Amino acid sequence: MVIYGGIADDFTGATDLAAAWRSRGLRTAVVLGLDDQAASTDGLNHHDAVVVALKIRTAPVAEAVDAARRAARLLRELGARQLYSKYCSTFDSTPAGNIGPVLDALSEGDCRGQAPGAVVVVPAFPAAGRTVYQGHLFVGEELLENSSMRHHPLTPMTGSHLPTLLEPQTGHRVGLVPWATVQSGAQAVRAGLDRLGSDGVRYAVVDALTAADLTTIAVATSEDPIVSGGSGLAAGLPQRPDRPTAIPTVPGHRAIVAGSASAATRGQVAAAREHLPHQRLDLDALRANLPGEVERLRTWASRCWAEEPEQPVLIYAVGELAHVQDDPQVAVLVEEALAACAVRMADDGARRFVVAGGETSGAVATALGVRALTLGASLGPGLAWAHGLGAGRGGDPATGFNLVLKSGNFGTPTLFVDAWEHLA
Ligand code: ADP
């Protein structure tokens, strides 16, 4: 029976939340998008937690709200008692949204029921260096506004005080549960949330500096119909005795498809180039003849596997920042090409993929026809192998794929080389 229902504003955010729940011993699945719900939710009732992966971080507000409402309805139908609105731990949003509008939609009417307390806002994720103190979000040692997020092309974060960031996005008041209260324990946090709620405050940013703080907040909100945050709050749930749900392992060739330009991915590409066969997308060739470039890479990969079938092959878009072209059309071409490469490699027998980048993961999973994922054991914060259900093109629908869908900035430098060892 589904207890927890996640609504994630992007695909890798969904696998991040799912990996956190799985690491606490919950049987967890991810539904990729809201198309063809009947196919993707079939058989999910026996999971403890289900996350719906949406692509609404920078969508028009009305579209984001509509998708979040539909996801909430689906999760409630599956039996979810608590909805978890998952956004980025760097609070990626603009004054127009979409964190506030989505929270407003989820916390109105029936969804929130009669719960009197303020809804928590917990982006803190200490394992990834995100902490919140006096309502200010820090990335490592820096305030959010001084981190690289200041220059994000779509959601530049030029402030760090979360109540000030959230208030313009919602018609409701935003308060704070300070760290001193969190230190006093779950009952104190609960009392603080109820007090704010009865004063007419809809949302409460809660300070958190450590994993123990997140556990305190998770315990305080265990009965809340709605919570919100990065994946840290989910990782704060008390550990359940692990009910093993070893995912099926699908035999087949191995490939890494990296479309992210993030620092962590560039480091992983550099480390993998030392050990694995690798090819970078040729952007000029791509512009001139996309199918031709895809075919070149496919032929190269199948030659590698002919020599060594177990060897992972790496296809990547960016080795160094100079490779990035400031042209949205190039970004779309790269996504299209990497997705096509994945499908072609699947046609040739690839069944195990590590995919780097949020947008890239969405493009690849969709192209492979994967509608839902069951999460396996953790590969580190925000990362896990998954088994893709409902496999379509390229794969055998009866067996599907094994996938790691990785946010650009996640993972250790050697992830592309050693992730495979964790897939028993
Ligand atoms: P991350 O999780 O690091 O943000 P994403 O996959 O979400 O990674 O985003 C990376 C984006 O950059 C994708 O749209 C991808 O197609 C695009 N991209 C990749 N390589 C290049 C390049 N050389 N020039 C321009 N855009 C690129």
Side-chain angles (χ1 to χ4, degrees), residues 10 12 57 152 258-265 280-281 283 287 316-336 338 355-363 406-410:
D10 78 347
T12 44
R57 187 167 294 171
H152 193 283
S260 163
S262 298
T265 299
R280 182 160 73 85
L281 278 182
L283 296 186
R287 274 207 200 82
Y316 66 102
V318 176
E320 48 197 85
L321 275 183
H323 295 151
V324 178
Q325 297 189 2
D326 188 16
D327 177 353
Q329 277 186 333
V330 173
V332 173
L333 273 185
V334 168
E335 283 175 36
E336 205 181 308
L338 291 178
V355 189
E359 297 298 324
T360 312
S361 292
K406 178 191 101 73
S407 168
N409 260 328
F410 280 5

Side-chain angles (χ1 to χ4, degrees), residues 65 72 126 134 137 142 187 205 227 275 297 318 369 379 382 394 407 412:
V65 163
Q134 300 293 1
L137 178 55
E142 290 175 319
Q187 276 186 352
V205 172
V227 297
H275 300 280
L297 292 163
V318 176
L379 283 172
S407 168
T412 62

